[in-house]
Amino acid sequence: MRDYSIEEAIEIINKCDESVLPDSKHFNLRNIQRISDLGLIFETFLYEPLMGILKQDYNKFRLYFEHSTKPSKDLSLVIGINDNRTIKFITVMETFRSKRVK
């Protein structure tokens, strides 16, 4: 299996469209518990600028986007990238923007 770098992950993310956004049972459960707006998550991922990215593990990345409805928060999305360059949403949460901006 290939281990993607941050630069490669950004390239893959930037090429995404609505047809390549698979979700999982775990992600759907966490979404309902934490954000409860799947549309907001997909719209943010597809159309908002990426504010930060951290490599968490083998082909797993945490993405930071400004939250469109809560000025003091970010939308933090953890994704995995498969060998065929498809993205899997793992979990999502709101985080305080002050954790990202220092």
Side-chain angles (χ1 to χ4, degrees):
M1 288 183 71
R2 179 182 174 131
D3 188 22
Y4 294 104
S5 68
I6 288 177
E7 292 78 17
E8 291 169 316
I10 291 170
E11 178 185 325
I12 293 167
I13 291 163
N14 287 337
K15 290 181 179 177
C16 283
D17 61 18
E18 293 174 14
S19 66
V20 294
L21 294 177
D23 54 349
S24 65
K25 186 185 240 183
H26 173 79
F27 176 75
N28 287 333
L29 176 64
R30 292 294 176 242
N31 171 46
I32 290 167
Q33 292 174 337
R34 296 177 180 161
I35 308 293
S36 75
D37 188 348
L38 190 58
L40 172 70
I41 295 165
F42 284 132
E43 290 288 318
T44 300
F45 177 75
L46 288 172
Y47 305 114
E48 296 300 322
L50 183 62
M51 302 308 291
I53 183 171
L54 293 173
K55 184 166 178 126
Q56 290 194 308
D57 201 358
Y58 187 84
N59 291 336
K60 186 191 289 186
F61 300 88
R62 180 178 294 249
L63 312 177
Y64 294 94
F65 300 92
E66 290 183 353
H67 200 300
S68 62
T69 60
K70 297 181 181 178
S72 65
K73 297 217 174 177
D74 281 342
L75 196 63
S76 179
L77 178 65
V78 178
I79 64 165
I81 302 177
N82 299 319
D83 281 344
N84 60 356
R85 298 173 67 94
T86 58
I87 290 178
K88 179 179 180 181
F89 286 9
I90 297 172
T91 194
V92 63
M93 66 207 75
E94 293 177 344
T95 56
F96 285 101
R97 188 165 296 157
S98 59
K99 287 189 159 219
R100 176 179 54 86
V101 179
K102 303 226 183 218

